[in-house]
Amino acid sequence: LAVKEGSTLLASGQVAAGLARLAEAERLFPGYPAADGPAWPLAKHYAATGRPADAAPLLARITAQGETALEPNLLQATVLEQLGNPGGAADAVQRALWIAPRDIARHEWLARLADQSGRFALAVQERRAVIALRPPNPLEARYQLAKALQRAGDVATARTELLRILEEAPGFEKAQELLLDLRGGK
């Protein structure tokens, strides 16, 4: 009842009263991570109002105990990325993909986060997943795979991928430039 009241108060613009009611519910049920518990509406509020550091521990508790917590994992990824933690954000996106694996944008997001956190093998894996899901621009997806392969240290496979791209689209300038960089040893 306290969670519902707190959420209703927040939704109606009575922020202080809503937060107080949710905080009270959080004190009464401190380990309850489900979506109908107090942690989720508090985390959403903190994230939406520019308080990612307050949202992060609540989201960590929810996602650690909720195997099907798609929205909390996605919000946790966003919050951790805002806090400058691409590795933690990548872990959250990866959990979200275990729940709902067919989202190209999430695979691309995970590839970018993996690359930022130095997890190059994961970035390659995710770039391959994007291609397997048939993206709207397959040449760009394959170019991104070649870049990920390069960063992962697999220059030979990156070159092969670029040559295949250029067989299909000889004028693809980004692929031409990357191939020249690879041939030049960059």
Side-chain angles (χ1 to χ4, degrees):
L1 183 63
V3 174
K4 187 175 181 179
E5 289 174 5
S7 296
T8 302
L9 288 167
L10 277 180
S12 70
Q14 299 177 49
V15 176
L19 289 177
R21 194 70 173 123
L22 288 169
E24 177 186 334
E26 179 70 12
R27 281 189 297 277
L28 293 172
F29 307 104
Y32 189 70
D36 61 345
W40 178 233
L42 279 171
K44 287 192 302 186
H45 173 76
Y46 291 145
T49 57
R51 295 172 58 185
D54 292 327
L58 297 167
L59 291 165
R61 193 172 71 234
I62 294 167
T63 59
Q65 297 179 21
E67 293 178 0
T68 59
L70 178 62
E71 286 186 62
N73 274 297
L74 294 172
L75 184 57
Q76 183 181 31
T78 300
V79 162
L80 291 174
E81 192 172 18
Q82 290 171 350
L83 292 172
N85 182 352
D91 292 340
V93 175
Q94 195 166 31
R95 287 189 304 272
L97 283 167
W98 293 336
I99 298 164
R102 299 199 50 84
D103 188 296
I104 290 174
R106 289 183 196 143
H107 284 283
E108 289 174 336
W109 187 16
L110 179 53
R112 184 178 50 76
L113 291 168
D115 191 52
Q116 289 174 356
S117 59
R119 295 161 66 180
F120 302 118
L122 178 59
V124 168
Q125 172 187 310
E126 291 307 307
R127 292 294 175 192
R128 286 188 169 132
V130 168
I131 292 167
L133 291 171
R134 298 184 180 177
N137 187 345
L139 291 175
E140 178 65 26
R142 291 173 55 207
Y143 168 75
Q144 294 298 328
L145 171 61
K147 285 176 51 176
L149 287 162
Q150 175 195 26
R151 285 189 290 275
D154 191 352
V155 175
T157 307
R159 281 186 190 139
T160 301
E161 189 63 41
L162 290 167
L163 289 171
R164 288 181 185 151
I165 292 169
L166 291 170
E167 283 176 4
E168 286 183 44
F172 193 162
E173 289 183 22
K174 292 191 301 188
Q176 292 170 353
E177 291 171 10
L178 184 55
L179 183 61
L180 288 173
D181 287 347
L182 292 177
R183 289 191 181 212
K186 290 184 184 178

